[in-house]
């Protein structure tokens, strides 16, 4: 059995990739459950509030997919506004965010 040197050591200033993947996966499962709950209990697909909520959840799911893609590319956790690392505390609360607090405020 020949093993190459492991290349998966977590970088000290970033949460381990596996941990981030778990968080994103959890966020995805939560959103999918919310969508299903709306389908099951909502007044119907034509209700404006329901469709508005569904759009918001689908947008979040897209953000989560994008975050997984950034994780694969190695650009996860880098602010897309100022190219600085997003603080880990923020990524813990919003694992799919693409901006630091400053740039988020500027965009909002
Ligand atoms: Zn920024």
């Amino acid at each position: 059995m020949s093993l190459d040197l492991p290349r998966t050591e977590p970088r000290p200033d970033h949460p381990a990739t596996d941990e981030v993947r778990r968080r994103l996966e959890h966020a995805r499962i939560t959103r999918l459950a919310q969508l299903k709950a709306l389908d099951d209990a909502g007044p119907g697909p034509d209700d404006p509030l329901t469709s508005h909520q569904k759009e918001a959840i689908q947008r979040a799911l897209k953000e989560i997919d994008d975050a997984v893609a950034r994780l694969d590319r190695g650009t996860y956790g880098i602010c897309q506004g100022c190219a600085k690392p997003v603080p880990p505390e923020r990524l813990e609360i919003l694992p799919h965010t693409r901006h630091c607090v400053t740039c988020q405020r500027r965009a909002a």
Side-chain angles (χ1 to χ4, degrees), residues 87-101:
E89 314 86 74
R90 177 164 167 79
L91 290 174
E92 215 162 296
I93 302 162
L94 270 179
H96 57 275
T97 190
R98 57 178 75 216
H99 291 116
C100 70
V101 180

Side-chain angles (χ1 to χ4, degrees), residues 54-82:
K54 278 176 140 179
E55 270 173 35
I57 295 169
Q58 272 152 0
R59 254 200 312 275
L61 280 167
K62 171 89 174 60
E63 293 284 308
I64 292 165
D65 279 347
D66 286 356
V68 172
R70 291 199 298 279
L71 205 54
D72 290 338
R73 283 198 303 268
T75 58
Y76 178 82
I78 306 294
C79 174
Q80 298 195 334
C82 63

